[in-house]
């Protein structure tokens, strides 16, 4: 039965690999029974769910199907629909969410795991294009963290860079612990006009060159941001509308996942073959917070896995459709 209350879902209490594997297999069986798109896809590729005996046997659903099919479990009413930031002329994905409280708990627990209690921050957001449209899961997350923070100076900024500069200056001078979420192109646009020396500022860049036609490495992006904001505390977030969990990188471009999420890398020429650590390929994600859609997603991102559920994000797979939120190489 679909859970629609405020209690913490058991998957968010996972503490070790054995528990993850147990919940992943149980989730697979649940979604085979309740997600018609996933069930039909497995039939199409000739997979008998009864042959899936371990997590490594679970097939991944191509993320493109979120654009054309209702990837959804159960008969309960949809509580929220998140949409991807498709580049102009491209079809956005739609992620139907049956239990929005599960998303709230997922992003809140992950934030506390990688950073701190939200109430210890003043949270600002420079997210134009995301904040200007409906259905952004990123905006929903940041709004939720702001609510938990409760700081009176919390706020979103679009193109009002002067106001953001003045706010940052005031927070710096008052020694307020401050966190800035920023889409990559907007952070670069800001520092073209304004520079600030704020060593204690923490910045989470969320990707997003969005059709700029600019090729820039993440290392170069962070170097520019460091100089423009006067801080070395530059972090990265890996997430997407089709997922309800986020991975974070705090140094060296290495992303870590919360305990209910895992990333694998597949062979680009054999999508059913998982690659060992250190080899480049397509990123596959198991996100158990996607309880009521599909937890097993084949993305169009390139990556490389390391031990302890760590991974690098290396940009888009060549010739795949470009999505707005991960056009960094």
């Amino acid at each position: 039965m679909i859970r629609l209350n405020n209690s913490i879902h058991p998957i968010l209490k996972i503490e070790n690999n054995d528990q993850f594997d147990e919940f992943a297999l149980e989730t697979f069986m649940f979604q085979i029974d309740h997600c018609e798109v996933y069930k039909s896809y497995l039939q199409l590729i000739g997979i008998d769910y009864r042959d899936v005996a371990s997590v490594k046997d679970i097939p991944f659903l191509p993320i493109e199907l979120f654009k054309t099919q209702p990837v959804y479990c159960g008969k309960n009413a949809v509580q929220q629909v998140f949409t991807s930031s498709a580049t102009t002329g491209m079809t956005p994905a739609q992620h139907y969410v049956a239990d929005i409280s599960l998303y709230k708990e997922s992003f809140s627990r992950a934030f506390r795991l990688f950073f701190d209690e939200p109430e210890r921050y003043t949270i600002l957001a420079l997210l134009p294009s995301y904040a200007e449209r409906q259905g952004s899961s990123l905006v929903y997350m940041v709004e939720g963290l702001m609510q938990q923070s409760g700081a009176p100076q919390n706020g979103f900024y679009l193109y009002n860079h002067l106001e953001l500069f003045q706010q940052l200056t005031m927070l710096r001078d008052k020694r307020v612990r401050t966190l800035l979420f920023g889409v990559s192109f907007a952070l670069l646009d800001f520092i073209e006009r304004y520079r600030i020396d704020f060593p204690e500022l923490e910045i989470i860049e969320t990707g997003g060159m969005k059709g700029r036609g600019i090729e820039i490495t993440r290392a170069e992006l962070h170097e520019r941001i460091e100089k423009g904001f006067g801080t070395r505390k530059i972090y990265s977030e890996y997430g997407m509308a089709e997922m309800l969990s986020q991975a974070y990188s705090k140094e060296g471009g290495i992303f870590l996942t919360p305990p209910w999420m895992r990333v694998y890398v597949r062979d680009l020429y054999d999508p059913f073959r998982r690659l060992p650590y250190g080899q480049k390929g397509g990123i596959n994600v198991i996100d158990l917070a996607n309880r009521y859609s599909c937890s097993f997603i084949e993305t169009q991102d390139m990556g490389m896995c390391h031990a302890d559920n760590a991974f690098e994000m290396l940009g888009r797979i060549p010739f795949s459709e470009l999505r707005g939120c991960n056009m960094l190489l």
Side-chain angles (χ1 to χ4, degrees):
M1 178 178 294
I2 288 184
R3 162 194 161 278
L4 296 175
N5 57 51
N6 293 323
S7 63
I8 298 174
H9 197 285
I11 64 169
L12 301 183
K13 298 180 181 180
I14 290 173
E15 296 181 350
N16 55 56
N17 289 335
D18 289 341
Q19 289 179 338
F20 181 93
D21 289 351
E22 178 184 351
F23 277 107
L25 286 170
E26 187 276 334
T27 299
F28 171 73
M29 295 305 299
F30 173 83
Q31 292 178 349
I32 286 296
D33 286 340
H34 294 87
C35 181
E36 287 298 324
V37 172
Y38 189 41
K39 181 178 181 179
S40 297
Y41 174 70
L42 263 60
Q43 292 173 343
L44 182 65
I45 62 176
I47 298 294
D48 188 333
Y49 71 90
R50 290 167 294 190
D51 294 332
V52 175
S54 68
V55 173
K56 67 180 179 61
D57 299 325
I58 297 176
F60 291 83
L61 184 74
I63 200 168
E64 292 85 353
L65 290 177
F66 281 83
K67 297 181 179 183
T68 60
Q69 304 293 325
V71 184
Y72 187 70
C73 290
K75 298 180 181 179
N76 295 65
V78 175
Q79 291 187 351
Q80 190 86 22
V81 180
F82 291 127
T83 58
S84 65
S85 54
T87 306
T88 302
M90 295 182 178
T91 303
Q94 292 191 313
H95 188 183
Y96 300 97
V97 180
D99 186 357
I100 196 63
S101 68
L102 182 53
Y103 181 44
K104 292 177 182 178
E105 190 63 33
S106 174
F107 70 65
S108 299
R109 292 172 75 87
F111 185 86
R112 287 172 169 83
L113 175 66
F114 289 102
F115 299 100
D116 204 341
E117 300 292 332
E119 53 265 34
R120 296 181 179 173
Y121 289 99
T122 286
I123 300 175
L124 309 180
L126 184 59
L127 302 172
S129 76
Y130 292 84
E132 293 174 289
R133 65 178 179 82
Q134 298 294 317
S136 168
S137 58
L138 174 61
V139 170
Y140 190 97
M141 176 184 77
V142 175
E143 285 180 337
L145 293 173
M146 286 182 179
Q147 291 172 2
Q148 294 174 51
S149 160
Q153 298 89 358
N154 291 341
F156 282 85
Y157 295 82
L158 297 175
Y159 307 98
N160 46 340
H161 291 167
L162 175 59
E163 292 180 34
L164 175 59
F165 175 76
Q166 293 170 336
Q167 183 72 288
L168 287 170
T169 301
M170 182 272 292
L171 293 168
R172 179 199 62 189
D173 293 346
K174 291 187 175 182
R175 294 181 168 278
V176 176
R177 189 178 184 187
T178 305
L179 175 67
L180 172 64
F181 281 91
V183 64
S184 303
F185 78 83
L187 293 171
L188 294 177
D189 286 349
F190 176 85
I191 61 178
E192 281 185 4
R193 297 187 61 189
Y194 298 96
R195 296 291 177 110
I196 186 170
D197 185 24
F198 194 166
E200 298 307 312
L201 176 65
E202 298 176 54
I203 297 176
I204 299 178
E205 59 88 2
T206 65
M209 295 307 289
K210 196 170 177 64
R212 292 282 173 121
I214 300 173
E215 294 186 1
I216 180 173
T217 66
R218 181 166 272 109
E220 182 182 355
L221 170 68
H222 285 204
E223 182 180 357
R224 292 188 190 181
I225 295 173
E226 286 179 9
K227 291 180 180 178
F229 287 91
T231 178
R232 298 184 63 85
K233 299 179 180 180
I234 313 296
Y235 315 127
S236 298
E237 180 249 8
Y238 179 79
M240 58 189 71
E242 300 90 340
M243 288 165 33
L244 294 183
S245 299
Q246 303 77 36
Y248 291 99
S249 171
K250 300 194 75 173
E251 60 180 350
I254 303 298
F255 286 86
L256 299 175
T257 64
W260 56 89
M261 175 183 173
R262 280 190 192 169
V263 168
Y264 304 101
V265 171
R266 69 183 183 275
D267 188 330
L268 294 181
Y269 300 98
D270 181 1
F272 303 108
R273 176 175 173 257
R274 184 185 300 178
L275 294 178
Y277 297 149
Q279 292 191 22
K280 298 177 182 179
I283 288 178
N284 287 350
V285 176
I286 298 180
D287 179 10
L288 296 182
N290 276 21
R291 173 72 177 181
Y292 305 115
S293 55
C294 183
S295 291
F296 312 99
I297 300 175
E298 176 187 295
T299 81
Q300 285 297 327
D301 294 328
M302 283 280 290
M304 181 168 60
C305 281
H306 301 277
D308 299 324
N309 298 324
F311 70 100
E312 294 180 59
M313 216 294 284
L314 303 174
R316 298 287 286 160
I317 294 174
F319 309 115
S320 65
E321 179 178 296
L322 293 175
R323 185 177 64 248
C325 61
N326 273 311
M327 293 177 68
L328 293 174
L329 298 181

